[in-house]
Amino acid sequence: MAAGNIVQGALFTVMVVRAASLRDPGFEKALAQQIARSPRFFQSAPVVLDLRGVENLTEASDFDTVRDKLHTLTLTLVGVQNAQPAQLEAAIAAGLASFAPNSGAQARAGAAAVPPAPRTRVVGEPVRSGTQIYARGGDLVVTAPVSPGAELVADGNIHIYGALRGRALAGASGDAGARIFCTRLEAELISIAGRYLVSEQLPAGVQAAPVQVALVDDQLTITPN
Amino acid sequence: MAKVIVITSGKGGVGKTTTSAAFAAGLALRGHKTVVIDFDVGLRNLDLVMGCERRVVFDFINVINGDANLNQALIKDKRHDNLFIFPTSQTRDKNALKREGVERVMEELKQQFDYIICDSPAGIEHGAITALYFADSAVIVTNPEVSSVRDSDRIIGILASKSRRAERNEPAVDVHLLLTRYDPARVAKGEMLAVEDVKEILSIPLLGVIPESESVLRASNTGTPVVFDEESPAGRAYVDAVARFLGETREMRFVKPERRSFFRALFGKA
């Protein structure tokens, strides 16, 4: 059997119950009335508990209580969403699934929530003198030469597949882990997280060479690639 | 379909007007009906270089403002039937170049001509932007020195962002490099940028290399486009450039230092 046949994706409609409404004394009665109107639709229907605005429910036993309560209404609690890290941990311990979005703990829980990919801006044309390109919140990739008098700015890394003859400022909003890569360094200025070197400070050995630039011990460090 | 070609550079004094005159005359010599327009309002020179300064009555600005019609302002070249000069005003400034007026004149010219050559003023202000706005093709006139190359780079960027083609998301203006005032001997000595260096920095196709030549100054001063001087290396280089623009393949001439003959060296004649 091919591996692809073991796990398959499917889409289901699932009801969401707001945990905040559980506190409402009239909640149970209102829900029971609604179920009575169309009992077949609600028979063993899966339910996700939305924890937005709820601070308690941080123990697995809390979720067991909620599960039992919903069970008396013929509903089956299958998971949580909008959970704080502690709530998510408790919910998973109680055998519930994590439905996106949940804050923070996706990696720890190994669950389905995926962080939004940082945006990368790709430029395929030569960057001409007088042009400024800013990749806000992500990386900047240029697959053409960058002319003297042009300026590249990125909150993340800057990659240039070509000659860098203008300025390149990576980690513009303070990310000291950002780097600059280029296949030919002839820059007027390079900067990472505010630390900079101008052209005449660049070591002779790296001129016109393929390099990467990183911040090491708060010093701009240029390494030939 | 008429084609609008802007001759531009960003930097002044690199040979835009010389090139406009030579290119327009070159296209006319190849049988295309061509008009060359002076966009350098207030610093009118094209009429001098074309040798028609004593025949200017109405100008580009008069036509833009509706004070004269096109045929009153167009000056027919005395050397070639296909060649027309559209002079500008010396008394006005660039603000007289109103975009709607220019557009109307361009549309009218397109009905009559195969090629419309726009001689741009220097700079990146209103005059230069208006000259390049309607362009289908651009000839970037560049001298082999760093400041000219940088200004050319800037103007190429402006063509890609501020031309009408860019604004309308149409196919980009097709851009050609013309290297002027090139002196292979000085390149060999490292005093001038080599063709390859300029090509690499600007990364656009090379239309031609015009050698530094005394015939250019003589042509300007006598009001004769240099392509009419068949003896001149610069004239021949312009003829080649026009041929390449029209799609022909021609070998690049005048890019290697000339070997001075024994007798020339002996008698010191350059």
Side-chain angles (χ1 to χ4, degrees), chain B residues 5-250:
Chain B
I5 307 169
V6 62
I7 313 290
T8 187
S9 68
K11 196 175 188 312
V14 295
K16 282 184 295 298
T17 301
T18 301
T19 298
S20 298
F23 221 76
L27 285 167
L29 284 171
R30 295 290 302 260
H32 301 287
K33 197 174 176 198
T34 304
V35 60
V36 53
I37 313 177
D38 193 348
F39 272 81
D40 204 350
V41 186
L43 294 166
R44 183 173 90 194
N45 285 146
L46 182 69
D47 54 328
L48 289 171
V49 174
M50 294 296 291
C52 66
E53 70 279 8
R54 298 200 295 182
R55 298 161 62 204
V56 178
V57 183
F58 294 108
D59 59 45
F60 192 19
I61 305 303
N62 292 141
V63 179
I64 288 173
N65 292 338
D67 300 331
N69 70 38
L70 197 57
N71 292 325
Q72 287 175 298
L74 286 176
I75 299 175
K76 188 172 186 207
D77 191 88
K78 285 184 172 167
R79 291 154 297 218
H80 207 287
D81 287 346
N82 281 334
L83 184 57
F84 289 77
I85 301 107
F86 198 176
T88 195
S89 164
Q90 180 70 350
T91 54
R92 308 292 293 275
D93 64 29
K94 308 287 191 279
N95 295 327
L97 289 168
K98 303 208 175 54
R99 187 164 289 174
E100 300 70 37
V102 176
E103 180 166 21
R104 183 174 49 76
V105 175
M106 286 290 181
E107 290 308 316
E108 224 176 308
L109 287 169
K110 281 184 180 178
Q111 307 301 316
Q112 296 189 27
F113 291 95
D114 301 326
Y115 287 100
I116 300 163
I117 310 288
C118 303
D119 180 18
S120 173
I124 54 170
E125 286 76 29
H126 180 69
I129 303 290
T130 310
L132 66 79
Y133 186 72
F134 299 96
D136 300 307
S137 299
V139 175
I140 311 295
V141 184
T142 306
N143 286 170
E145 49 114 2
V146 286
S147 57
S148 174
V149 173
R150 181 179 294 188
D151 291 359
S152 293
D153 193 56
R154 182 84 167 96
I155 210 84
I156 298 167
I158 289 172
L159 276 158
S161 60
K162 292 195 177 165
S163 62
R164 185 164 74 171
R165 281 173 172 265
E167 282 185 1
R168 293 182 173 181
N169 271 326
E170 292 170 358
V173 177
D174 96 278
V175 179
H176 307 267
L177 171 63
L178 187 73
L179 207 51
T180 56
R181 310 198 66 168
Y182 195 75
D183 185 340
R186 295 188 67 189
V187 172
K189 281 192 255 172
E191 296 172 358
M192 252 185 197
L193 293 177
V195 183
E196 292 308 317
D197 299 340
V198 181
K199 261 178 77 179
E200 201 205 319
I201 295 173
L202 295 179
S203 16
I204 54 172
L206 179 67
L207 195 59
V209 177
I210 311 299
E212 176 81 358
S213 163
E214 55 195 38
S215 59
V216 173
L217 186 62
R218 185 171 62 238
S220 287
N221 284 336
T222 57
T224 314
V226 72
V227 287
F228 289 123
D229 182 353
E230 284 163 15
E231 299 299 303
S232 148
R236 276 152 44 209
Y238 273 115
V239 169
D240 284 354
V242 169
R244 288 187 202 103
F245 184 84
L246 295 173
E248 289 178 27
T249 308
R250 293 206 178 178

